[in-house]
Amino acid sequence: MVHQEAAKEVVPLMTPYKMGQFQLSHRVVLAPLTRCRSYGNVPQPHAALYYAQRATKGGLLIAEATGVSTTAQGYPETPGIWTPEQVEAWKPIVDAVHRKGGIFFCQIWHVGRVSTNELQSGGLAPISSTDRQISPDPESWTVYSKPRRLGTEEIRGVVDDFRRAARNAIEAGFDGVEIHGAHGYLLEQFMKDSSNDRTDEYGGSLENRCRFAVEVIDAVVGEVGAHRVGIRLSPFVDYMDCVDSDPVALGNYMIQQLNRHEGFVYCHMVEPRMAIVDGRRQIPHRLLPFRKAFNGTFIAAGGYDREEGNKVVAEGYADLVAYGRLFLANPDLPRRFELGAPLNKYDRSTFYIQDPVVGYTDYPFLEDDSNSKESGTQA
Ligand SMILES: Cc1cc2nc3c(=O)[nH]c(=O)nc-3n(C[C@H](O)[C@H](O)[C@H](O)COP(=O)(O)O)c2cc1C
C-alpha cells in the first residue's frame, strides 16, 4: 500500500538530526544576529517575543553576540552576560524559547578593537592583540578607535571573563554557549596574522596566535562541559582588517584543538564572501576539509537559501545550516522551507535600529499559519 507521505518531497533541511545530547527535529538554525535592542546592555522583554517567534520544537537558535565584560562592546545597546541583572534578564527570554521546545545557545563575545573610546567605560581605549587601529573605512558609520595592546599578564583575566560568561549563560537557562571566534573580533584579532603583531607567547607562530582562543575554549569547556560548547570560526573571512595568510592551516589547527575535547558540540563556520561565477553569486563551499576533520556537528553559514541548504545537507557537506538575514525576516523560516513557501524580504535599514518592534517582531508569518504568532504551535 502506498501511503500518502510517500509522495511527499523529502526536504533534507527538515530531517531530524542528533546534535550531541540534543535531538533536533530539523537542520535550519537561527544564526547569531546582533539587533542592538538591549538597552544599557541588558536584554529586554521584547527579545522574548523575537526569539519565541523563531523557536520551533527541536530547532536550534543561537542568540545574538553577547558581551562577556564591560570592555566587550562595540555597538550600541548590545546585550551582556557578565552581571546578575543581565543573567536575570535573559531568563524569561530563554524560558520563552524553551516553552516552544527550542534549543538555545548563547553566543559569547568580545569585540576587542572593533570599538570606540565612547563605548568603553571611562573613555578608555578598546583592548586588542595589537595597538594598530582598524583602517577607517569611508563607507562605514564608525571610525574604530586606536586600541591598547593587552599585556601578556592581562590575558588570563579576559579568559576568565569568557569562563564567567559561560557559567552565567548556563545559569540563565541556555542549553549551551557558542564562543564567538569569527568576524574580526577579539579572538580573531589574536588568531590571524594581519592583526597579531605580538612578540610574546601569544604572537608569531600559528600555535602562539591561537593560544588565546584555545585557552578560552579550554576554560569554557572546563566550566560548563564540552557537551554544551560550540564555536564560530571564519578563517576565510576578512572583516575588520582581520585576514590570515594561510586560512586553511588556521582552520585545520583550530579543528584539531576542538577535537581534543570529546563531545565538543559543534563547529560553526562562515563561508568566504560569495563569489561571482558567470555573473551569478555563488557560495564558495570551501569548508569541506574542516567538516571532514571535525569530530562533532558541523554548521555552515553565509549566503544560504533553501535550495543551497538542502543541497549541502543532502551531500553531507554540513549537518546543519545557519540562516541570518532570511531568518531575521521570516520568523517561521523552517515552516516556509518545509512548504517551499515564498519568503519575506529583509529590510536592511532596520537591522540595527533600537526600535523594540519595527524590523524586529513585526515580520509577518505565513498567512495560513493562524496560531503561530503568539502561542506558536508549529512543529
Ligand atoms: C543584522 C546582522 C547581525 C549580525 N550579527 C552577528 C552576530 O552577532 N554574531 C555573528 O557571529 N554574526 C553575526 N552576523 C552574521 C550572521 O550570523 C551570518 O553569518 C551572515 O548574515 C551571513 O548569513 P546569511 O547570508 O544567512 O545572512 C550578523 C549579520 C546580520 C545581517
Side-chain angles (χ1 to χ4, degrees), residues 35 37 325-326 328-330 344-353 358-360 362-363:
R35 305 307 315 276
R37 285 148 165 100
R325 291 160 297 179
L326 295 186
L328 184 156
N330 293 275
N344 302 323
K345 289 200 168 33
Y346 55 82
D347 176 1
R348 196 181 292 277
S349 72
T350 56
F351 279 177
Y352 302 108
I353 64 172
V358 177
Y360 191 54
D362 62 350
Y363 280 107

Side-chain angles (χ1 to χ4, degrees), residues 73-89:
Q73 279 70 233
Y75 302 87
E77 319 297 0
T78 49
I81 194 144
W82 71 89
T83 70
E85 184 195 4
Q86 290 162 340
V87 173
E88 286 310 306

Side-chain angles (χ1 to χ4, degrees), residues 31-34 65 107 180 183 232 302-303 322-325 328 351-352:
L33 293 167
T34 292
Q107 189 185 50
H180 196 339
H183 294 162
R232 193 170 218 210
Y323 291 88
R325 291 160 297 179
L328 184 156
F351 279 177
Y352 302 108

Side-chain angles (χ1 to χ4, degrees), residues 1 3 7 52 70 95 132 156 160 174 178 190 217 225 266 290 310 348 363 367:
M1 193 177 100
H3 289 280
T70 50
D95 278 351
R132 283 206 314 256
R156 185 192 300 261
D160 274 337
F174 281 103
E178 173 176 295
F190 276 80
I217 293 162
Y266 68 74
F290 307 131
N310 277 330
R348 196 181 292 277
Y363 280 107
E367 272 152 24

